[in-house]
Amino acid sequence: MNNERVEAKKKYGQNFLKDESVLRKIVEAMPKSDNKIVEIGPGLGDLTKFLVKVKSVEAFEVDTDLCKRLNITFKDEIATKRLHIHCGDVLEAWQSTLVDEPYDLVANLPYYIATNIILKALADPMCKSLLVMVQLEVAQKFAAETGDKVFSGLSVITQSVGTASIVIDVPPTAFDPMPKVDSAVMLIQKHSDRSDKAFEDMLKVAFAQPRKTLLKNLSSHYDKTKLLEIFEQLDLSLTIRPHQLHTTDYHQLYKKI
Ligand code: SAM
């Protein structure tokens, strides 16, 4: 590896993962599959060097200084096509799919766009699983179960396409520079692709004010008389809060609305 010190760029969410034990745990938690690996934000290549030992990797890095460095560090892997570095903003590279073959996403994500990246990966038919380091609070939102205080539209979207779990809790001391928040590695195993946009729009309305009742939130956008009929048909309490409903009920509700 190139050991020259690099100044982390805040604007790109650069917190480099330095704890080898966490890096090893991430590799151990990777789902067994024949899929390619996609890494978003290889940074200095600390995780990449473990990943290329397991499979071939497509990596997307926005920082041109880091791209240059990665091209030197991994010149052998690049020459043998074990690693391909795409230099540029991953969100711009992402059309309906990120790469044109099935892949598992493994990444220590830039936190400022982590939610956006996860939602894109959930919608991407080529993405089969996600093993991603994110802010602990974000992981808890995606992986929450009905009844949890943080159960949200993100949890419903995740449960509609797969199963999510938090596999490793990671303290700030594992990174350089240290982030101000706790982190976690979350695994999402997909069984289908992300639900449609209209369903997600309904979820936004349903969770707009999480402490209010579901009926109150939905009434701000949909006809109340019709909603009362639907609540009765689905045997839903008029005082139920958005976090208390199961994902299957949200799908029923959506069909009727
Ligand atoms: N994987 C490295 C590690 O674990 O040490 C770095 C992780 S760091 C939290 C996030 C990485 O994502 C940085 O290398 C950053 O430059 C990169 N990044 C930030 N925004 C990006 C974007 N829009 N597209 C691609 N990479 C991005």
Side-chain angles (χ1 to χ4, degrees):
M1 297 283 297
N2 186 343
N3 286 324
E4 201 182 303
R5 193 162 161 82
V6 167
E7 208 57 56
K9 294 182 183 129
K10 240 187 175 167
K11 67 170 176 178
Y12 290 141
Q14 291 175 356
N15 298 96
F16 302 113
L17 181 55
K18 289 295 166 198
D19 186 329
E20 282 254 330
S21 70
V22 177
L23 287 162
R24 285 182 199 287
K25 281 189 202 153
I26 293 176
V27 176
E28 279 162 22
M30 273 165 51
K32 308 279 168 278
S33 80
D34 295 329
N35 304 330
K36 213 169 205 187
I37 296 174
V38 163
E39 185 187 6
I40 294 175
L44 300 172
D46 291 290
L47 178 59
T48 322
K49 75 175 183 225
F50 284 91
L51 299 180
V52 287
K53 282 190 194 139
V54 187
K55 283 188 201 172
S56 48
V57 177
E58 299 280 334
F60 295 78
E61 176 55 64
V62 73
D63 183 340
T64 46
D65 294 333
L66 291 183
C67 289
K68 279 184 209 144
R69 205 183 144 99
L70 289 162
N71 279 321
I72 297 167
T73 309
F74 292 100
K75 64 175 183 327
D76 294 342
E77 290 81 358
I78 292 168
T80 56
K81 301 205 182 325
R82 188 72 172 168
L83 173 66
H84 184 187
I85 304 207
H86 305 257
C87 195
D89 184 340
V90 71
L91 295 177
E92 280 172 22
W94 219 319
Q95 302 305 314
S96 53
T97 62
L98 190 53
V99 293
D100 55 9
E101 61 184 294
Y103 71 88
D104 295 311
L105 175 62
V106 184
N108 171 16
L109 290 176
Y111 292 0
Y112 74 106
I113 44 168
T115 298
N116 200 352
I117 288 175
I118 295 170
L119 288 173
K120 277 195 165 287
L122 292 179
D124 183 342
M126 289 301 167
C127 178
K128 303 301 171 192
S129 74
L130 300 78
L131 183 65
V132 286
M133 173 96 71
V134 291
Q135 190 176 332
L136 176 63
E137 225 175 82
V138 172
Q140 285 168 336
K141 270 192 195 156
F142 277 97
E145 300 287 343
T146 297
D148 292 349
K149 260 215 303 246
V150 291
F151 189 73
S152 65
L154 296 178
S155 333
V156 177
I157 293 171
T158 308
Q159 290 188 353
S160 303
V161 300
T163 50
S165 56
I166 293 179
V167 288
I168 316 166
D169 286 316
V170 187
T173 48
F175 304 87
D176 181 25
M178 284 199 267
K180 290 199 176 71
V181 292
D182 285 328
S183 304
V185 178
M186 167 176 69
L187 174 65
I188 302 180
Q189 301 256 35
K190 285 172 69 183
H191 50 59
S192 54
D193 298 313
R194 190 170 149 197
S195 40
D196 62 82
K197 162 112 181 38
F199 177 64
E200 292 176 15
D201 288 344
M202 184 199 78
L203 291 176
K204 271 192 202 131
V205 177
F207 284 93
Q209 300 202 61
R211 301 291 147 243
K212 296 241 162 96
T213 65
L214 177 65
L215 183 63
K216 179 132 189 118
N217 281 335
L218 290 173
S219 306
S220 69
H221 267 69
Y222 304 101
D223 178 62
K224 185 149 182 198
T225 317
K226 176 100 174 96
L227 284 171
L228 287 169
E229 261 171 44
I230 297 173
F231 270 56
E232 191 172 340
Q233 285 164 15
L234 297 178
D235 201 17
L236 295 177
S237 157
L238 300 183
T239 57
I240 199 164
R241 314 265 152 183
H243 71 282
Q244 295 173 314
L245 211 65
H246 288 275
T247 293
T248 46
D249 294 324
Y250 273 110
H251 283 279
Q252 294 287 338
L253 198 61
Y254 173 61
K255 270 189 213 144
K256 295 200 177 274
I257 280 180

